[in-house]
Amino acid sequence: MPHAEKRPTAGQRVRAFFGGGPRQKPRGRAQFNLRGRLAMVAGTLGLCSLALLGRAFEMQVIDNAFYQAQGDARFLREIPIPTSRGMITDRNGEPLAVSTPVESIWANPQELLKHPQRLPELAQALGVPADHLERKLSQRANKEFVYLQRRISPEFAQSVVAHNIPGVFSQREYRRFYPQGDAIAHILGFTNVDDAGQEGLELAFDEWLRGKPGAEKVIRDRRGRIVENVDLVRAAEPGKDLTLSIDRRIQFLAYRELRNALLEKGASSGSAVVLDVTTGEVLAMANLPSFNPNAVEGGARDAHRNRAVTDLIEPGSTMKPITVAAALEHHVITPQTKFDTNPGWMPNGRYRTTDTHNYGVLDTTGVITKSSNVGAAKIVARLDNNTFYEYLRKLGYGQSTNSGFPGESAGLLPAPDRWSGTTKQTMSYGYGLSVTPLQIAQAYAAIGNGGKLVAPTFVKGQRNEAHQVMDPGVAREVLRMMETVTLPGGTATQARVLGYRVAGKTGTARKASGGGYSRRYVAFFAGLVPASNPRFSMVVVIDDPAPELAYVGGLVSAPVFRNVMDGALRMMDVAPDDLDAWLAAQAAAEAKRKPATVATAPVAAPAPVTEAVQ
């Protein structure tokens, strides 16, 4: 029986379908090389390790600075260390400007804007409109730092930070505080929000006062909080203190009396300057209108001017002692020279030079005593143009006093080649040139200092070089003549200070208007006290007093001088040089205090004394 045919298996059929034949049995088994394969794997792993080590070496050693910088950019920050501004004190150590610690609220917009639901809460804590805050942050969305409020009290800042709003922080800053307020504002000036000087001595001595902020490196977390102090980059250097020549007590006196005069006389503005005659130190400089340096934003910008050094005025009759001094020094007159001022006026080109009264014949002293414009004009006529001009220049007119105050004006003193036929005559009694109150005070201080001119200074102890600009004998003679101005018959009896001899000069200048002069005035008084050995030079300028009240210097400015000097002389322990007047006043006061016990015969009243006022 034939054998049945053997059917192919499934595997054979698959191999046949794909073209494969029946599986052949290997003739011999190949040996498996396990050792070689392990070596190859180990070598591959070793090369990878070496590559990783090389890359790590490159990152940790070769390119360390780059990657460190990249890491630092994300977490390491250099932050400033605030420093306080130097204190400003008066000559006696009383504080005039101090820096007090405050806080400022700042935010990281990138972090804060991730929590928009907290913005209304933050706005309410800051006391600002929510839409304003959101707009401010959105405009700086790519920044990491923005101030929200600056220079606020530490208590208020703490209350804001206590809300724990992400991205909101506080930092220490300093704010300037002026204890004397508007009484000394024009001298000190003020600082801005960054505590940098903007005006006055705060600006002039900004580099000395401001110090140098420090810096330190810190690590902040992603919320901006400091988690580690890394390194002190630079130590903070506090600002240096500054001691001024100003005496706070005299300053307040000058400010108070100036304010009272403006209110009483209906004037628009005024200035007062007090100098130490020998040293040139500015003891007081008051101006009105004033401003509050602790709240500068709320004041009128025009009130910021220090009128005593920036505003130009025609000096009026305060020029007459200088005109007389120039003529005496050049030997064209003597103290006894007579001048006929009849009939109380004289021609000056198309105009007239007039006096308030017809004083008739006056000697040189009488020209100053009565403040005669005609007499001054006749004196200056004997001087050469260049001689008179150079004499005024020597006394500081037409040039800065070099006090160092920012914005100081040099004044206007036209050169002789620009004079018209009437210029020299009008300049002799204070028209045709412009000066500052500080320049007048400096020139008068030179008269009181034996003819030595010293540049004014605002720093205690600073000694500027003295220049001999006037013959000492002439200075003494002019000082004697000026003393007659405050005696009966002079134009400034209201400038007298009980117990002290006073030398001075009034001035009343009409204000320029539209190419001519208006019926409005500037009232002056410039004086030296005590006249026997002058210690103080003071100038009072009151602008635009109401004509219907009083507008002449002897009635408007002289009382301010008297009240300020009466206090200053006693504060500075200056010995009286007119004891007879002081004792007589004391006896009269004592007699008034005693009750009248015995009837006495009536005593005739003394005849009134007629006084020229100008």
Side-chain angles (χ1 to χ4, degrees):
M1 181 175 178
H3 293 283
E5 185 179 354
K6 192 176 181 178
R7 298 180 64 184
T9 65
Q12 290 173 339
R13 287 198 299 270
V14 172
R15 284 194 294 271
F17 178 79
F18 287 102
R23 192 171 185 178
Q24 301 294 324
K25 188 176 181 180
R27 295 179 181 177
R29 182 176 299 273
Q31 287 202 343
F32 179 71
N33 190 355
L34 179 60
R35 189 183 299 273
R37 291 192 177 187
L38 289 175
M40 183 175 64
V41 171
T44 302
L45 292 175
L47 289 174
C48 291
S49 300
L50 186 62
L52 290 173
L53 288 173
R55 180 60 175 162
F57 180 81
E58 178 186 16
M59 296 176 66
Q60 296 291 331
V61 180
I62 299 176
D63 289 337
N64 174 269
F66 171 77
Y67 292 104
Q68 185 68 41
Q70 292 298 307
D72 291 347
R74 289 163 174 80
F75 299 104
L76 189 65
R77 295 288 184 271
E78 182 174 301
I79 62 173
I81 303 174
T83 184
S84 62
R85 192 173 176 84
M87 182 168 62
I88 301 178
T89 67
D90 81 338
R91 65 186 304 107
N92 301 311
E94 293 291 333
L96 303 177
V98 295
S99 289
T100 58
V102 292
E103 295 287 327
S104 290
I105 299 294
W106 66 276
N108 181 347
Q110 296 182 8
E111 177 68 20
L112 181 55
L113 290 173
K114 294 177 182 178
H115 305 273
Q117 73 280 3
R118 304 294 301 273
L119 293 183
E121 179 185 353
L122 176 60
Q124 184 177 5
L126 294 172
V128 299
D131 57 343
H132 172 76
L133 176 63
E134 185 175 357
R135 184 167 56 253
K136 182 176 183 178
L137 292 170
S138 299
Q139 291 172 350
R140 298 163 177 82
N142 60 337
K143 305 291 185 182
E144 293 185 350
F145 184 95
V146 61
Y147 280 116
L148 299 182
Q149 279 193 5
R150 299 193 66 181
R151 301 201 304 180
I152 58 179
S153 69
E155 295 78 14
F156 182 72
Q158 185 178 3
S159 70
V160 174
V161 175
H163 286 263
N164 292 320
I165 300 174
V168 177
F169 311 94
S170 69
Q171 71 177 32
R172 172 64 56 86
E173 288 191 309
Y174 290 90
R175 180 176 182 175
R176 208 64 162 160
F177 176 65
Y178 303 94
Q180 308 303 318
D182 51 1
I184 199 169
H186 294 101
I187 298 175
L188 299 179
F190 53 88
T191 60
N192 63 8
V193 70
D194 294 314
D195 218 21
Q198 298 299 291
E199 290 187 11
L201 298 183
E202 290 277 27
L203 174 60
F205 293 93
D206 185 58
E207 187 173 352
W208 176 270
L209 291 166
R210 68 186 176 192
K212 296 180 180 179
E216 65 176 337
K217 287 183 178 180
V218 300
I219 294 177
R220 293 185 185 273
D221 64 12
R222 66 185 185 88
R223 293 181 178 273
R225 296 171 298 191
I226 297 176
V227 296
E228 182 182 350
N229 294 314
V230 178
D231 185 27
L232 178 64
V233 178
R234 182 176 59 256
E237 297 180 19
K240 303 180 185 69
D241 293 343
L242 179 65
T243 302
L244 300 185
S245 59
I246 300 296
D247 189 300
R248 178 183 59 87
R249 302 165 301 173
I250 301 176
Q251 176 70 26
F252 180 76
L253 264 179
Y255 178 79
R256 185 190 68 186
E257 295 302 325
L258 191 65
R259 180 186 58 194
N260 292 344
L262 262 63
L263 292 173
E264 181 181 342
K265 304 302 181 183
S268 62
S269 63
S271 298
V273 179
V274 181
L275 296 182
D276 186 295
V277 166
T278 305
T279 65
E281 291 180 328
V282 181
L283 299 176
M285 181 178 285
N287 294 274
L288 283 168
S290 189
F291 66 98
N292 183 0
N294 296 304
V296 178
E297 298 80 5
R301 181 66 184 172
D302 184 62
H304 293 178
R305 290 201 324 272
N306 186 345
R307 300 170 187 270
V309 298
T310 63
D311 284 18
L312 296 180
I313 48 179
E314 291 181 300
S317 294
T318 61
M319 273 292 297
K320 289 170 185 171
I322 297 174
T323 300
V324 169
L328 287 171
E329 189 151 345
H330 290 87
H331 308 293
V332 296
I333 63 169
T334 68
Q336 293 76 35
T337 303
K338 303 293 185 181
F339 301 95
D340 187 358
T341 67
N342 286 299
W345 63 271
M346 65 179 290
N348 186 16
R350 296 185 294 114
Y351 307 98
R352 283 183 174 185
T353 293
T354 62
D355 287 337
T356 56
H357 300 83
N358 180 7
Y359 296 117
V361 178
L362 297 171
D363 62 9
T364 303
T365 301
V367 170
I368 291 181
T369 306
K370 297 298 183 182
S371 195
S372 171
N373 293 340
V374 175
K378 291 194 172 187
I379 290 173
V380 82
R382 303 188 181 196
L383 286 169
D384 175 76
N385 288 359
N386 286 319
T387 298
F388 186 50
Y389 171 78
E390 291 299 333
Y391 202 81
L392 298 184
R393 290 280 297 179
K394 284 197 306 180
L395 281 168
Y397 290 159
Q399 53 193 319
S400 171
T401 66
N402 294 319
S403 69
F405 197 90
E408 180 180 0
S409 175
L412 296 172
L413 179 64
D417 57 6
R418 296 172 54 196
W419 292 1
S420 67
T422 64
T423 300
K424 185 172 71 172
Q425 187 165 317
T426 57
M427 285 175 64
S428 70
Y429 50 87
Y431 290 90
L433 75 162
S434 296
V435 301
T436 66
L438 181 60
Q439 286 177 319
I440 300 175
Q442 177 187 235
Y444 273 59
I447 296 174
N449 196 27
K452 295 178 181 178
L453 187 76
V454 182
T457 177
F458 289 90
V459 180
K460 181 184 179 182
Q462 181 177 336
R463 293 292 183 268
N464 294 322
E465 184 179 358
H467 300 278
Q468 194 74 45
V469 297
M470 183 184 296
D471 182 85
V474 170
R476 287 192 297 271
E477 190 62 49
V478 172
L479 189 65
R480 182 194 63 78
M481 295 179 183
M482 290 167 57
E483 193 174 350
T484 66
V485 173
T486 64
L487 298 176
T491 60
T493 57
Q494 293 196 38
R496 297 172 67 180
V497 180
L498 181 62
Y500 297 89
R501 293 162 50 191
V502 177
K505 185 69 191 75
T506 56
T508 307
R510 293 172 62 179
K511 298 184 68 172
S513 175
Y517 289 91
S518 67
R519 289 292 179 181
R520 307 199 73 82
Y521 302 88
V522 180
F524 302 86
F525 184 81
L528 295 157
V529 65
S532 59
N533 183 22
R535 174 73 183 276
F536 303 127
S537 168
M538 182 176 183
V539 172
V540 181
V541 180
I542 296 182
D543 185 19
D544 203 16
E548 65 273 12
L549 298 177
Y551 62 87
V552 293
L555 297 178
V556 176
S557 299
V560 177
F561 173 92
R562 177 195 65 221
N563 294 337
V564 175
M565 288 294 98
D566 184 49
L569 288 163
R570 287 161 176 75
M571 289 175 187
M572 304 295 275
D573 294 324
V574 179
D577 63 345
D578 191 4
L579 286 175
D580 291 340
W582 187 81
L583 291 173
Q586 292 295 314
E590 184 66 24
K592 284 184 178 181
R593 285 195 295 269
K594 291 181 179 179
T597 56
V598 179
T600 57
V603 180
V609 178
T610 302
E611 299 175 354
V613 179
Q614 186 166 340

